[in-house]
Amino acid sequence: MSFYIASSPHHHQRRTTAKLMQWVLIAMLPGFLAQLYFFGWGVILQLLLAIAVALAAESLCLLARDRAPSTGLQDNTAIVTAALLAVSIPPLAPWWIIVIGTLFSIVVVKHLFGGVGHNIFNPAMAGYVVLLISFPVQMTAWMPPTGLATQAPSFIDSLYLFLFQFTSEGFSLEQMRRVDTGAMLDAVVMATPLDHLKTQLSQGATLSEAMQHPQFTGLAGMGWQWVNLGYLLGGLLLLQQRIIQWHIPVALIASLAFCALLGSILAPDYLPGLSIHLFSGATMFAAFFIATDPVSAATSSKGKLIYAGLIGVLIYVIRSYGGYPDAVAFAVLLANLCVPVIDQYTRPVTYGHRKEQG
């Protein structure tokens, strides 16, 4: 009889990084298809260009580090980063937006910190924040969802808007973003549900008055609620396949839901309720696909609960009192900064060692 001796941990998940990333891409499909249906062809254009730029940047960085690109590209991490960023920005944002964001995510946030497994920030969210701060107009130019748009752009028009910001007939993106409200004005420029609420509330309107806009149907807003449900479905698939654990999604959603319920009780006329916070922005996308990044998140089970709970609270605080309607990216990056401290006090002590005092 022979014994195989190995170092801990002794329980292994027999899946490569490439396989795990493939499952993440598969799980994104329901939410991606919902975005494609409600927001048009620009979603595909952003995705294709982001992947192309990510693969090229990854190859160049690997060559600069004396590593074979053919080996480094096989883990699919660059493709996942590109996909996460592509679905986060407005579908018809100009092409150079996704190029800049993807280059920053891959070159600066990922490779300048040492490559796969060494980045302290979520690459996609870091790239998103750089774009949002640098180009706020382009990064808030969302199209109206299907059903509200006065004229939905065709594939050719979407391609022209993506490349030149004008359709083949000369209409600008601003003109294409107009939606009929049924009010005295013929149309207004479209804003996301969270952006619309924040703007109206800052101008003195009550929550009920702000929600008279025709986009507020069903749970939390035409199109957006189905996108969130799509990412929720994909997230449940990741849980079922044990690609992620339950701690981060549950803690993030629970903490945000608690804050939303408390706010709706204390100030029902001015603070949006539960359904708005869970299904209007990028909450489900963040809970299952962003905050669960294994590199930049906390490592222990207790640490994950604290880390994700912090993200949920930060999302609510920034949405309600900050200057950005959907605060997911900022909340995640701030929580990433706290991970070393969270791990310091929550990571289990190795047997036979004394816990270090920080």
Side-chain angles (χ1 to χ4, degrees):
M1 181 181 296
S2 61
F3 294 93
Y4 175 72
I5 301 175
S7 62
S8 62
H10 304 288
H11 179 72
H12 298 276
Q13 186 182 48
R14 296 185 177 180
R15 287 173 174 168
T16 63
T17 300
K19 288 292 184 182
L20 294 175
M21 295 300 102
Q22 287 175 13
W23 273 110
V24 172
L25 293 171
I26 292 171
M28 287 180 65
L29 277 176
F32 177 82
L33 292 175
Q35 282 186 255
L36 177 63
Y37 176 79
F38 284 103
F39 297 103
W41 294 103
V43 180
I44 290 182
L45 299 175
Q46 299 285 356
L47 178 64
L48 293 177
L49 183 56
I51 291 175
V53 173
L55 292 177
E58 183 91 348
S59 300
L60 292 175
C61 289
L62 290 170
L63 286 172
R65 298 172 60 195
D66 294 325
R67 294 182 55 190
S70 58
T71 303
L73 292 175
Q74 291 177 359
D75 60 18
N76 294 326
T77 56
I79 296 177
V80 169
T81 297
L84 294 175
L85 181 60
V87 300
S88 300
I89 71 174
L92 292 177
W95 63 271
W96 47 267
I97 288 285
I98 193 64
V99 170
I100 294 173
T102 305
L103 287 175
F104 185 87
S105 298
I106 299 296
V107 177
V108 177
V109 186
K110 182 179 179 181
H111 280 284
L112 289 188
F113 279 90
V116 178
H118 297 281
N119 50 282
I120 64 173
F121 296 107
N122 183 290
M125 291 299 96
Y128 177 89
V129 165
V130 166
L131 293 175
L132 184 59
I133 294 174
S134 304
F135 312 106
V137 174
Q138 290 82 0
M139 287 294 290
T140 53
W142 284 86
M143 289 291 293
T146 299
L148 283 182
T150 54
Q151 46 184 339
S154 64
F155 176 78
I156 297 298
D157 283 338
S158 297
L159 183 60
Y160 268 80
L161 287 166
F162 178 61
L163 295 175
F164 311 113
Q165 294 296 281
F166 287 93
T167 67
S168 57
E169 298 178 350
F171 292 104
S172 68
L173 179 61
E174 200 75 1
Q175 291 173 309
M176 299 297 292
R177 290 179 58 222
R178 295 190 175 275
V179 56
D180 187 5
T181 64
M184 291 181 65
L185 297 175
D186 291 335
V188 297
V189 175
M190 181 64 186
T192 65
L194 289 173
D195 193 18
H196 174 78
L197 288 179
K198 178 171 282 292
T199 301
Q200 293 297 308
L201 293 173
S202 66
Q203 294 176 353
T206 64
L207 183 62
S208 59
E209 291 171 342
M211 293 188 66
Q212 294 301 312
H213 193 280
Q215 69 178 307
F216 289 101
T217 60
L219 283 173
M222 186 179 295
W224 294 93
Q225 58 197 13
W226 293 107
V227 171
N228 272 278
L229 289 172
Y231 285 118
L232 172 60
L233 179 61
L236 294 177
L237 175 62
L238 293 179
L239 288 173
Q240 189 270 331
Q241 290 294 319
R242 298 185 179 180
I243 306 299
I244 62 174
Q245 296 179 312
W246 63 269
H247 305 79
I248 290 177
V250 170
L252 192 157
I253 294 172
S255 64
L256 178 57
F258 174 79
C259 292
L261 286 173
L262 185 62
S264 63
I265 292 173
L266 296 177
D269 290 334
Y270 300 101
L271 293 176
L274 183 64
S275 63
I276 294 294
H277 278 288
L278 294 187
F279 296 104
S280 277
T283 301
M284 296 302 165
F285 182 61
F288 293 99
F289 294 91
I290 298 298
T292 52
D293 173 31
V295 179
S296 57
T299 54
S300 67
S301 296
K302 184 187 295 184
K304 290 176 181 177
L305 292 173
I306 297 172
Y307 164 78
L310 175 62
I311 292 176
V313 172
L314 288 172
I315 289 175
Y316 183 80
V317 171
I318 298 173
R319 281 180 178 177
S320 301
Y321 306 105
Y324 294 93
D326 194 0
V328 163
F330 292 97
V332 170
L333 295 185
L334 289 172
N336 289 160
L337 286 173
C338 299
V339 164
V341 176
I342 295 173
D343 281 345
Q344 172 68 26
Y345 291 100
T346 61
R347 184 181 292 158
V349 180
T350 306
Y351 181 75
H353 291 71
R354 182 180 299 175
K355 186 177 181 66
E356 296 182 3
Q357 298 298 321

